[in-house]
Amino acid sequence: MIKSKMFRWIEVNSYEQMSEIAAAIFTEQLAKKPDSVLGLATGGSPLGFYKEMVRRHQAGELSFARAVTFNLDEYVGKGPGDATSYHEFMHQNLFRHIDLPETARHLPNGLAEDLAAECERYEKLIEASGGIDLQLLGIGVNGHIGFNEPGSRFDSRTRVIELTEATRKSNARFFEKEEDIPAKAITMGIGTIMSARKIVLLAFGDNKTEAVKRLENGAVTEEFPASILRKHPHVTVIYGK
Ligand code: F6R
């Protein structure tokens, strides 16, 4: 059997339109497979998407009751209750509004004493779940996906990574003081992300134009981590400015 390959580019006129299209894709996934394993992201790109998913849930259009989720990343030293943690981001923007069971929500534990063991545990948990059916991604201006910074190996799995200055700067908006921006994070690896069956990547705004161009036409290189997505069998990029 020849495996069909799909790389779909959807250009949108507004952030809201991007969010709605992404929500429609995830709604369809949950309708077809209610016990889907979903990969989730944080940051500015998916905020509108989460808002729309919550709206649809509250309108009775979709349920997460049988779903399982895995987030891409968490800062080292951060966890539930900490306003700048990704645990809290997910709680505030999605989890507290929907019917996804608490035991089905997974994020790496940035507070783990043994971080290497935590990375291994997370990777094994994803595998044991049957693997990610649909993964949501944003993209960093430097091409990072998850926190896989330039130079990350394409076959990398969940691990601790040092954040680049560029990434710390662009995340500064979420922190009061510069010294509060974490230096490290746990992230799914590029290999982990590439194992997802389907991927949706969101990129909106002038500051993402270069990254989108490079994703479309640039070389496939570890210096621009997102470029590996061109080798993935099923990707939808929703982008605009
Ligand atoms: C978030 C993540 C990051 C972001 C990326 C874009 O969980 O893993 O890769 O998706 O930094 O961030 P925003 O959407 O804030 O521009």
Side-chain angles (χ1 to χ4, degrees):
M1 195 178 84
I2 300 170
K3 226 176 153 191
S4 66
K5 200 167 147 60
M6 193 200 87
F7 207 116
R8 184 163 51 145
W9 293 87
I10 304 177
E11 190 170 3
V12 294
N13 298 318
S14 69
Y15 178 83
E16 288 69 30
Q17 196 188 0
M18 174 179 79
S19 306
E20 249 170 59
I21 294 171
I25 294 171
F26 275 74
T27 303
E28 192 189 338
Q29 173 70 32
L30 283 168
K32 276 195 190 144
K33 190 181 177 209
D35 59 348
S36 288
V37 180
L38 306 176
L40 301 178
T42 58
S45 309
L47 270 177
F49 160 77
Y50 290 136
K51 213 169 150 195
E52 176 59 16
M53 292 298 271
V54 169
R55 190 198 65 73
R56 288 173 183 232
H57 170 67
Q58 286 170 347
E61 293 167 23
L62 91 145
S63 168
F64 296 83
R66 293 176 57 204
V68 174
T69 65
F70 286 95
N71 265 79
L72 284 166
D73 38 25
E74 176 59 285
Y75 291 118
V76 167
K78 301 221 167 262
D82 183 330
T84 52
S85 72
Y86 286 173
H87 276 79
E88 202 54 26
F89 177 100
M90 291 310 298
H91 180 69
Q92 293 302 340
N93 293 300
L94 184 68
F95 295 156
R96 73 189 177 101
H97 306 288
I98 61 172
D99 60 346
L100 178 71
E102 248 176 72
T103 50
R105 314 166 181 176
H106 304 288
L107 284 98
N109 178 9
L111 298 171
E113 256 174 50
D114 184 340
L115 292 169
E118 169 57 14
C119 294
E120 208 180 314
R121 179 195 72 85
Y122 200 66
E123 189 72 34
K124 286 209 172 114
L125 203 59
I126 296 173
E127 217 179 286
S129 74
I132 294 170
D133 291 303
L134 181 56
Q135 173 71 53
L136 182 70
L137 295 177
I139 183 170
V141 289
N142 62 4
H144 74 216
I145 47 176
F147 271 136
N148 294 285
E149 300 285 26
S152 293
R153 289 179 55 125
F154 282 156
D155 62 359
S156 54
R157 311 304 295 198
T158 302
R159 69 201 187 292
V160 174
I161 189 145
E162 210 138 321
L163 303 179
T164 60
E165 251 339 277
T167 297
R168 293 184 72 230
K169 270 208 187 104
S170 72
N171 286 2
R173 64 203 145 116
F174 298 112
F175 296 88
E176 264 179 35
K177 289 180 278 167
E178 209 177 312
E179 59 265 33
D180 294 342
I181 313 168
K184 288 181 185 174
I186 297 179
T187 181
M188 279 187 200
I190 299 186
T192 321
I193 294 169
M194 287 294 283
S195 300
R197 291 177 193 96
K198 292 182 200 165
I199 292 176
V200 171
L201 184 143
L202 307 180
F204 193 84
D206 283 334
N207 63 332
K208 297 291 168 79
T209 309
E210 269 316 302
V212 170
K213 254 194 217 150
R214 218 170 147 185
L215 172 61
E216 190 177 5
N217 303 315
V220 175
T221 163
E222 288 175 347
E223 289 315 310
F224 192 77
S227 61
I228 191 63
L229 297 174
R230 297 228 306 272
K231 305 267 182 209
H232 190 279
H234 198 293
V235 178
T236 304
V237 177
I238 315 175
Y239 70 103
K241 58 181 174 179

